[in-house]
Amino acid sequence: MAENLTNNVHDTALIFEGGGMRAALTSAVAIELLNAGIYVDYVAGISAGSSNAVNYASRDPERARRTFVEFVGNPNMGGVKTFIQGRGYFNSEYIYEHTSLPHQELPLDFATFAANPAQVRVGAFRCDTGEQVHWGKEDFPELRDLLVRVRASCSMPVLMPTVTIDDGVYLDGALGPAGGIPLDVAIADGYEKFLVIATKPRDYWRPPMKYTRALGRIFRKYPAVVDALIERPGNYNRTKEQLLELEREGKAMVFFPEVMPVENSERDVAKLAAAHQLGLDQAARELPAWREFLNIVD
């Protein structure tokens, strides 16, 4: 499959919001796009959205589902024991850097990913400097370069440990100024039209952060993380307002889950499978509108 890959949407950025295991539902959108033969030339993701972006860019609908549904039943996925051991409630090194290797449980088709001419952006937050980083394909010439950066992007504060890459220390990209929806990097890269896959319903607005004193103790080594967590609700809500305005102007098509039955740390495979089916059903209903927005003729 890695030979002669082409894309048929060149003027639109495909954007996947983060949201932990809520991506069980939105992974269905990646699957629907792939099954419909809709190949976008630019895809950006943050946190769990980066996993969706990579699965989409590697054109692997089966992996897109298994990543957020069946794989969660793996006993090595994590839990209280790995959390106490400092490896995270979600055993992130195992999840992202082990199982994606060849001949493992979720092998990533890196040859197809690399052959896809699409630009892929993976966002993470640098804890020691407070900077937002958006890596591109030039930053992951090898499989392991990609895997560690997706791990960094997906590393939810408290639930997962920080990730060191070169001389930087990273956590979840949702801590950055876009609040978890990487609209800003797509705009910076020159796009004016957007297909955005959100993980929260249309009427959701992020409330102020609680327990800020506790966060100060947990991240005393990285005060920029505490500041980012406090600022995240405002950042998220501001990005969402911008997105809704783009939608009103006809410049954005947004998938908002009609129902989101799981939280970001859900571990029940049956609940995740049900959420995924909801995503498939909704995506199938919305596909004709996506085709029209993307100027794709059946």
Side-chain angles (χ1 to χ4, degrees):
M1 183 177 179
E3 297 181 2
N4 301 319
L5 295 186
T6 59
N7 295 312
N8 54 8
V9 178
H10 304 286
D11 64 346
T12 303
L14 173 60
I15 295 172
F16 286 98
E17 181 185 359
M21 299 312 298
R22 296 185 186 96
L25 190 150
T26 54
S27 62
V29 176
I31 292 170
E32 186 69 19
L33 290 170
L34 291 172
N35 289 343
I38 297 175
Y39 303 125
V40 183
D41 210 29
Y42 180 101
V43 55
I46 275 180
S47 194
S50 69
S51 288
N52 273 335
V54 168
N55 288 332
Y56 173 80
S58 61
R59 300 193 179 177
D60 194 338
E62 181 181 0
R63 190 177 192 273
R65 173 187 168 86
R66 293 184 62 225
T67 297
F68 292 104
V69 182
E70 289 91 350
F71 177 66
V72 180
N74 185 317
N76 295 313
M77 182 79 174
V80 175
K81 181 179 179 180
T82 55
F83 182 78
I84 293 172
Q85 293 171 339
R87 291 185 287 156
Y89 179 74
F90 290 101
N91 187 3
S92 58
E93 184 174 8
Y94 173 82
I95 293 168
Y96 296 102
E97 296 190 62
H98 176 76
T99 63
S100 298
L101 297 174
H103 311 300
Q104 299 300 324
E105 186 168 355
L106 282 174
L108 176 65
D109 185 352
F110 187 71
T112 298
F113 176 86
N116 189 333
Q119 174 62 286
V120 180
R121 290 290 200 174
V122 172
F125 180 82
R126 183 161 173 170
C127 307
D128 46 346
T129 65
E131 297 173 273
Q132 177 79 6
V133 176
H134 292 284
W135 292 296
K137 291 180 82 171
E138 64 278 5
D139 297 302
F140 16 83
E142 304 293 337
L143 173 60
R144 289 185 182 274
D145 298 318
L146 173 62
L147 298 182
V148 71
R149 284 165 173 79
V150 172
R151 177 189 170 198
S153 181
C154 294
S155 291
M156 294 183 285
V158 183
L159 291 179
M160 299 180 185
T162 59
V163 179
T164 300
I165 301 173
D166 298 328
D167 61 346
V169 180
Y170 297 90
L171 274 175
D172 195 321
L175 297 179
I181 306 173
L183 178 64
D184 55 347
V185 67
I187 292 173
D189 283 340
Y191 284 84
E192 298 179 350
K193 189 176 177 183
F194 313 92
L195 176 59
V196 181
I197 315 306
T199 56
K200 303 186 182 62
R202 180 177 288 273
D203 62 358
Y204 175 85
W205 298 91
R206 185 170 288 277
M209 177 64 65
K210 298 180 180 179
Y211 314 117
T212 55
R213 294 181 65 181
L215 292 172
R217 291 193 294 272
I218 295 170
F219 294 107
R220 57 186 177 276
K221 187 177 179 181
Y222 300 115
V225 173
V226 180
D227 293 341
L229 285 166
I230 293 171
E231 294 167 3
R232 187 184 174 197
N235 289 337
Y236 174 89
N237 293 338
R238 183 172 56 254
T239 299
K240 184 171 181 181
E241 288 173 352
Q242 183 182 11
L243 185 57
L244 293 175
E245 179 60 30
L246 288 167
E247 185 184 53
R248 286 190 289 270
E249 294 172 356
K251 298 177 181 179
M253 173 74 68
V254 188
F255 174 93
F256 286 111
E258 295 168 343
V259 179
M260 177 50 71
V262 297
E263 295 297 327
N264 63 353
S265 59
E266 183 59 64
R267 298 286 300 277
D268 186 306
V269 173
K271 291 181 180 179
L272 294 169
H276 185 77
Q277 187 60 53
L278 288 173
L280 290 173
D281 294 342
Q282 183 179 343
R285 293 194 301 272
E286 296 190 11
L287 179 61
W290 302 346
R291 286 187 177 278
E292 182 177 357
F293 178 72
L294 299 171
N295 298 314
I296 293 179
V297 179
D298 290 324

